[in-house]
Amino acid sequence: MELNSVLLTAGGSIGFFKLVNCGVSKLPIPESACRNAWKWRNVCTSLTHSLITGIWSVLCFFVHPQMAEDLIGTHSVFSHALVSVSIGYFIYDFLDMVLNQKMILSWELLFHHTVVISCFGIAVLTGHYVGFAVVALLVEINSVFLHLRQILRMASLAAGDLYRINSMVNLGTYVVFRINTLAWMTRWLVLNRDNIPLFSYTAGSVGLAVMTAMNIVLFYRLLRSDFLKSSAPMPTEVKESRGQGEGKKET
């Protein structure tokens, strides 16, 4: 895809998720979530992104299975469009947080988005590592349950069976699609370091280091909140970091 196509796709994505946010604002909001209506809209918009990109990332490998054998130079227009759409979403979400949330509450996510936009930007602009970026977007499968978790908590449904089931699925998909994916990506990067230019290798290494650290912290918070302290009162919700993509989460 040419630069104009990338800009058009990313720009269209920004507009699409803005429309999703506006659409959510027209829907009924649980009374318990009314005290922070912006956050409710933001998380619902993030859930939409995760549903779309989680399914899309899996389809990319079905549509173009050769990409799995060459994550550096092989990709389809379908895969390239996915990464461009995700860049648009992260730009939209970055601006949404800057305009509507205090910096002290969102600096982790803003930093995360900056890293993701930079790494994905290298992929779509150079036409290399698009497959690697698609692998990173597999974490969005888990983000679906992370976002649903927060929506249930904001709706005061954290004591129900649905929340408990979601918590178990969330933890399982966290291990499979976040921890395992990040570990595999790190191994791939190390094994292919001789085939990757220093700049791209450094950017990828820094990005993975940031994602790994943030996801280790989040995993501990999830365990502590949903399993280690299941009999304790639910802690106050705060906005947490997102995996490469990742969703808004709470402690």
Side-chain angles (χ1 to χ4, degrees):
M1 295 175 71
E2 298 179 353
L3 177 59
N4 289 341
S5 298
V6 173
L7 294 177
L8 181 63
T9 304
S13 175
I14 294 172
F16 170 76
F17 287 108
K18 176 60 178 178
L19 288 175
V20 170
N21 189 288
C22 292
V24 172
S25 68
K26 304 299 182 181
L27 300 175
I29 301 177
E31 184 177 351
S32 56
C34 288
R35 66 179 183 274
N36 197 343
W38 167 81
K39 185 176 179 181
W40 175 265
R41 295 194 304 270
N42 184 268
V43 176
C44 289
T45 304
S46 296
L47 174 61
T48 302
H49 169 258
S50 295
L51 283 168
I52 293 173
T53 55
I55 296 172
W56 195 341
S57 61
V58 174
L59 289 176
C60 284
F61 288 102
F62 279 103
V63 172
H64 196 71
Q66 299 92 328
M67 188 171 65
E69 301 173 4
D70 179 14
L71 298 178
I72 298 178
T74 301
H75 67 269
S76 62
V77 174
F78 190 61
S79 301
H80 198 286
L82 166 61
V83 182
S84 298
V85 166
S86 287
I87 290 174
Y89 163 74
F90 285 116
I91 292 175
Y92 162 77
D93 198 48
F94 184 99
L95 296 174
D96 191 38
M97 287 187 287
V98 168
L99 295 174
N100 294 287
Q101 193 173 44
K102 294 180 180 179
M103 186 70 69
I104 193 172
L105 297 177
S106 60
W107 70 268
E108 290 179 71
L109 276 174
L110 293 176
F111 179 58
H112 165 273
H113 285 15
T114 300
V115 172
V116 172
I117 292 169
S118 299
C119 292
F120 282 14
I122 292 173
V124 296
L125 292 177
T126 64
H128 292 84
Y129 319 110
V130 172
F132 194 65
V134 174
V135 171
L137 285 169
L138 290 172
V139 303
E140 292 298 335
I141 296 172
N142 168 251
S143 292
V144 171
F145 302 100
L146 281 170
H147 296 317
L148 181 57
R149 174 183 185 270
Q150 188 167 17
I151 287 173
L152 291 171
R153 289 168 69 92
M154 292 185 70
S156 297
L157 297 174
D161 291 336
L162 179 59
Y163 182 85
R164 286 191 288 271
I165 293 172
N166 184 75
S167 294
M168 290 185 286
V169 176
N170 180 33
L171 196 66
T173 55
Y174 198 102
V175 173
V176 174
F177 292 105
R178 282 186 182 272
I179 296 177
N180 284 355
T181 297
L182 286 171
W184 186 91
M185 291 174 68
T186 301
R187 178 179 178 274
W188 183 91
L189 194 65
V190 171
L191 292 176
N192 290 274
R193 63 185 181 277
D194 294 333
N195 301 319
I196 303 173
L198 180 60
F199 175 77
S200 298
Y201 181 79
T202 301
S205 298
V206 171
L208 280 173
V210 171
M211 296 304 105
T212 300
M214 295 177 75
N215 279 281
I216 288 174
V217 172
L218 177 58
F219 187 66
Y220 168 72
R221 290 174 177 174
L222 289 172
L223 282 176
R224 183 187 64 186
S225 177
D226 288 355
F227 296 96
L228 301 182
K229 292 185 178 181
S230 58
S231 60
M234 288 291 178
T236 302
E237 293 184 10
V238 298
K239 196 172 185 180
E240 298 178 341
S241 58
R242 191 176 324 182
Q244 182 111 66
E246 336 151 287
K248 279 82 174 176
K249 304 130 194 151
E250 72 270 34
T251 55

